[in-house]
Coordinates of all heavy atoms in Angstrom, one line a residue:
D262 N 149.6 200.3 124.5 CA 149.5 199.2 123.6 C 149.7 199.7 122.1 O 149.5 198.9 121.2 CB 148.2 198.4 123.7 CG 148.0 197.8 125.0 OD1 149.1 197.4 125.6 OD2 146.9 197.6 125.5
L263 N 150.1 200.9 121.9 CA 150.2 201.4 120.5 C 151.3 200.6 119.7 O 151.2 200.3 118.5 CB 150.3 202.9 120.4 CG 150.5 203.5 119.0 CD1 149.2 203.3 118.2 CD2 150.7 205.0 119.2
K264 N 152.4 200.4 120.5 CA 153.6 199.7 119.9 C 153.2 198.4 119.3 O 153.7 198.1 118.1 CB 154.7 199.6 120.9 CG 156.0 199.2 120.3 CD 157.1 199.2 121.3 CE 158.4 198.9 120.5 NZ 159.6 199.4 121.3
V265 N 152.4 197.6 119.9 CA 151.9 196.3 119.4 C 151.3 196.5 118.0 O 151.5 195.7 117.1 CB 151.0 195.6 120.4 CG1 150.4 194.3 119.8 CG2 151.7 195.4 121.7
H266 N 150.4 197.4 118.0 CA 149.7 197.6 116.7 C 150.6 198.2 115.5 O 150.4 197.9 114.4 CB 148.5 198.5 116.9 CG 147.6 197.9 117.9 ND1 146.8 196.7 117.6 CD2 147.2 198.4 119.2 CE1 146.0 196.5 118.7 NE2 146.4 197.5 119.7
L267 N 151.6 199.0 116.0 CA 152.5 199.5 115.1 C 153.3 198.5 114.5 O 153.6 198.4 113.2 CB 153.4 200.6 115.7 CG 152.7 202.0 116.1 CD1 153.7 202.9 116.9 CD2 152.3 202.7 114.8
V268 N 153.7 197.5 115.4 CA 154.6 196.4 114.9 C 153.7 195.5 113.9 O 154.3 195.1 112.8 CB 155.1 195.6 116.0 CG1 155.6 194.2 115.5 CG2 156.1 196.3 116.9
K269 N 152.5 195.3 114.2 CA 151.6 194.6 113.2 C 151.5 195.2 111.9 O 151.6 194.6 110.9 CB 150.2 194.3 113.9 CG 150.1 193.4 115.0 CD 148.7 193.3 115.5 CE 148.6 192.4 116.8 NZ 147.2 192.4 117.3
L270 N 151.3 196.6 112.0 CA 151.1 197.3 110.6 C 152.3 197.3 109.9 O 152.4 197.1 108.7 CB 150.6 198.7 110.9 CG 150.3 199.5 109.7 CD1 149.3 198.9 108.8 CD2 149.9 200.9 110.1
Q271 N 153.6 197.4 110.6 CA 154.8 197.5 109.9 C 155.1 196.1 109.3 O 155.6 196.0 108.2 CB 156.0 197.8 111.0 CG 157.4 197.8 110.3 CD 157.6 199.0 109.3 OE1 157.0 200.1 109.6 NE2 158.1 198.6 108.2
T272 N 154.8 195.0 110.0 CA 154.9 193.7 109.4 C 154.0 193.5 108.2 O 154.4 192.9 107.2 CB 154.6 192.6 110.5 OG1 155.4 192.9 111.7 CG2 154.7 191.2 109.9
A273 N 152.8 193.9 108.3 CA 151.8 193.8 107.2 C 152.4 194.6 106.0 O 152.3 194.2 104.9 CB 150.5 194.3 107.6
L274 N 152.8 195.8 106.3 CA 153.3 196.7 105.2 C 154.6 195.9 104.5 O 154.6 195.9 103.2 CB 153.7 198.0 105.6 CG 154.3 199.0 104.6 CD1 153.3 199.3 103.5 CD2 154.7 200.3 105.3
Q275 N 155.5 195.5 105.3 CA 156.6 194.8 104.6 C 156.2 193.5 103.8 O 156.7 193.4 102.7 CB 157.6 194.4 105.7 CG 158.3 195.5 106.3 CD 159.2 195.0 107.5 OE1 159.1 194.0 108.1 NE2 160.1 195.9 107.9
R276 N 155.3 192.8 104.4 CA 154.8 191.6 103.6 C 154.0 192.0 102.3 O 154.2 191.3 101.3 CB 153.8 190.7 104.5 CG 153.4 189.4 103.9 CD 154.6 188.5 103.6 NE 154.1 187.2 102.9 CZ 154.7 186.6 102.0 NH1 156.0 187.0 101.7 NH2 154.2 185.6 101.5
L277 N 153.2 193.0 102.4 CA 152.5 193.5 101.3 C 153.4 194.0 100.2 O 153.3 193.6 99.0 CB 151.5 194.7 101.7 CG 150.5 195.1 100.6 CD1 149.6 193.9 100.3 CD2 149.7 196.1 101.2
Q278 N 154.5 194.7 100.6 CA 155.6 195.1 99.6 C 156.4 194.0 98.9 O 156.6 193.9 97.7 CB 156.5 196.0 100.3 CG 156.0 197.4 100.7 CD 156.9 198.3 101.5 OE1 157.7 197.7 102.3 NE2 156.7 199.5 101.5
E279 N 156.6 192.9 99.8 CA 157.2 191.7 99.2 C 156.3 191.0 98.3 O 156.8 190.6 97.1 CB 157.5 190.7 100.4 CG 158.7 191.1 101.3 CD 158.7 190.3 102.6 OE1 158.0 189.2 102.7 OE2 159.5 190.6 103.4
L280 N 154.9 190.8 98.6 CA 154.1 190.2 97.7 C 153.9 191.0 96.4 O 153.7 190.4 95.3 CB 152.7 189.9 98.4 CG 152.8 188.9 99.5 CD1 151.5 189.0 100.3 CD2 153.1 187.5 99.0
D281 N 153.8 192.4 96.5 CA 153.7 193.1 95.3 C 154.9 193.0 94.4 O 154.8 192.8 93.1 CB 153.6 194.6 95.7 CG 153.2 195.5 94.5 OD1 152.4 195.1 93.7 OD2 153.8 196.6 94.4
G282 N 156.0 192.9 95.0 CA 157.3 192.6 94.2 C 157.3 191.3 93.5 O 157.7 191.1 92.4
L283 N 156.8 190.2 94.3 CA 156.7 189.0 93.7 C 155.7 188.9 92.6 O 155.9 188.3 91.5 CB 156.3 187.9 94.8 CG 156.0 186.5 94.5 CD1 157.2 185.9 93.9 CD2 155.5 185.7 95.6
R284 N 154.6 189.5 92.7 CA 153.5 189.6 91.7 C 154.1 190.2 90.4 O 154.0 189.8 89.4 CB 152.3 190.4 92.2 CG 151.2 190.5 91.1 CD 150.0 191.2 91.7 NE 150.5 192.6 91.8 CZ 149.7 193.6 92.2 NH1 148.3 193.2 92.4 NH2 150.0 194.7 92.2
K285 N 154.8 191.4 90.6 CA 155.4 192.0 89.4 C 156.5 191.1 88.7 O 156.6 191.1 87.5 CB 156.1 193.4 89.9 CG 155.0 194.3 90.1 CD 155.7 195.7 90.7 CE 154.6 196.7 91.0 NZ 155.1 197.9 91.6
E286 N 157.2 190.5 89.5 CA 158.2 189.5 89.0 C 157.6 188.3 88.3 O 158.0 187.9 87.1 CB 159.1 188.9 90.2 CG 160.2 187.9 89.7 CD 160.9 187.3 91.0 OE1 161.0 187.9 92.0 OE2 161.5 186.2 90.7
L287 N 156.6 187.8 88.8 CA 155.9 186.8 88.1 C 155.1 187.3 86.9 O 155.1 186.5 85.9 CB 154.8 186.1 89.2 CG 155.4 185.3 90.3 CD1 154.2 184.9 91.2 CD2 156.1 184.1 89.8
Q288 N 154.6 188.5 86.8 CA 154.0 189.1 85.7 C 155.0 189.1 84.5 O 154.7 188.8 83.4 CB 153.3 190.4 85.9 CG 152.1 190.4 86.6 CD 151.6 191.7 87.0 OE1 152.3 192.6 87.1 NE2 150.3 191.8 87.2
A289 N 156.3 189.6 84.9 CA 157.3 189.7 84.0 C 157.7 188.3 83.3 O 157.9 188.2 82.2 CB 158.5 190.3 84.6
K290 N 157.8 187.3 84.3 CA 158.1 185.9 83.8 C 157.0 185.3 83.0 O 157.2 184.7 82.0 CB 158.3 185.1 85.1 CG 159.6 185.3 85.8 CD 159.9 184.3 86.9 CE 161.2 184.6 87.6 NZ 161.4 183.6 88.6
Q291 N 155.7 185.7 83.3 CA 154.7 185.2 82.4 C 154.7 185.7 81.1 O 154.6 185.2 80.1 CB 153.3 185.6 83.1 CG 152.1 185.1 82.3 CD 150.8 185.6 82.8 OE1 150.7 186.5 83.7 NE2 149.7 185.0 82.4
Q292 N 155.0 187.1 81.0 CA 155.2 187.8 79.7 C 156.3 187.1 78.9 O 156.1 186.9 77.6 CB 155.4 189.3 79.8 CG 154.2 189.9 80.4 CD 154.4 191.5 80.7 OE1 155.6 191.9 80.7 NE2 153.3 192.2 80.9
Q293 N 157.4 186.9 79.6 CA 158.6 186.3 78.9 C 158.2 184.8 78.4 O 158.5 184.5 77.3 CB 159.7 186.2 79.9 CG 161.0 185.5 79.2 CD 161.6 186.3 78.1 OE1 161.5 187.5 78.1 NE2 162.2 185.6 77.2
A294 N 157.5 184.1 79.2 CA 157.1 182.8 78.9 C 156.1 182.8 77.7 O 156.2 181.9 76.7 CB 156.4 182.0 80.0
T295 N 155.2 183.8 77.7 CA 154.3 183.8 76.6 C 154.9 184.2 75.2 O 154.7 183.6 74.2 CB 153.2 185.0 76.8 OG1 152.5 184.6 78.1 CG2 152.2 185.1 75.8
Q296 N 156.0 185.0 75.3 CA 156.7 185.4 74.1 C 157.5 184.2 73.6 O 157.5 183.9 72.5 CB 157.7 186.5 74.5 CG 158.5 187.0 73.3 CD 159.4 188.1 73.6 OE1 159.5 188.6 74.9 NE2 160.1 188.7 72.7
E297 N 158.1 183.4 74.5 CA 158.9 182.2 74.2 C 158.0 181.1 73.6 O 158.4 180.5 72.6 CB 159.7 181.7 75.3 CG 160.9 182.5 75.7 CD 161.8 181.9 76.8 OE1 161.9 180.7 76.9 OE2 162.3 182.7 77.7
I298 N 156.8 181.0 74.2 CA 155.8 180.0 73.7 C 155.6 180.3 72.2 O 155.5 179.4 71.3 CB 154.6 180.0 74.5 CG1 154.9 179.3 75.8 CG2 153.4 179.3 73.7 CD1 153.7 179.4 76.8
G299 N 155.3 181.6 71.9 CA 155.0 182.0 70.5 C 156.2 181.6 69.6 O 156.0 181.1 68.5
E300 N 157.4 181.9 70.0 CA 158.7 181.7 69.2 C 158.8 180.2 69.0 O 159.2 179.8 67.9 CB 159.8 182.2 69.9 CG 159.9 183.7 69.9 CD 161.0 184.3 70.8 OE1 161.7 183.6 71.5 OE2 161.0 185.5 70.9
V301 N 158.6 179.4 70.1 CA 158.8 177.9 70.0 C 157.7 177.3 69.1 O 158.0 176.3 68.2 CB 158.9 177.2 71.4 CG1 158.8 175.8 71.3 CG2 160.1 177.7 72.1
R302 N 156.5 177.8 69.2 CA 155.4 177.3 68.4 C 155.7 177.5 66.9 O 155.5 176.7 66.1 CB 154.0 177.8 68.8 CG 153.5 177.2 70.0 CD 152.1 177.8 70.4 NE 151.1 177.2 69.5 CZ 149.8 177.5 69.5 NH1 149.4 178.5 70.4 NH2 148.9 176.9 68.8
E303 N 156.1 178.8 66.6 CA 156.5 179.1 65.2 C 157.6 178.2 64.7 O 157.5 177.7 63.5 CB 156.9 180.5 65.1 CG 157.0 181.1 63.7 CD 155.7 181.0 63.0 OE1 154.6 181.1 63.6 OE2 155.7 180.8 61.7
A304 N 158.6 178.0 65.4 CA 159.8 177.1 65.0 C 159.2 175.6 64.8 O 159.5 175.0 63.8 CB 160.9 177.1 66.1
G305 N 158.4 175.2 65.7 CA 158.0 173.8 65.6 C 156.9 173.7 64.4 O 156.9 172.6 63.8
K306 N 156.2 174.7 64.1 CA 155.3 174.8 63.0 C 156.1 174.6 61.6 O 155.7 173.8 60.8 CB 154.5 176.0 62.9 CG 153.5 176.1 61.9 CD 152.7 177.4 62.0 CE 151.8 177.7 60.8 NZ 151.1 179.0 61.0
L307 N 157.2 175.3 61.6 CA 158.1 175.3 60.4 C 158.7 173.9 60.3 O 158.7 173.4 59.2 CB 159.2 176.4 60.4 CG 158.6 177.8 60.3 CD1 159.7 178.8 60.5 CD2 157.9 178.0 59.0
A308 N 159.1 173.3 61.4 CA 159.7 172.0 61.4 C 158.6 170.9 60.9 O 159.0 170.0 60.1 CB 160.2 171.7 62.7

């Protein structure tokens, strides 16, 4: 029965890698959004 557990661990590892990639992508998007919010607020303040 080792193969069954190996498949489970391989699946878990792949999903964990996908989620880590997603988290990094979302962090980058959050940083970009935060930067744009500051720029838009400054432009709106001047207007």
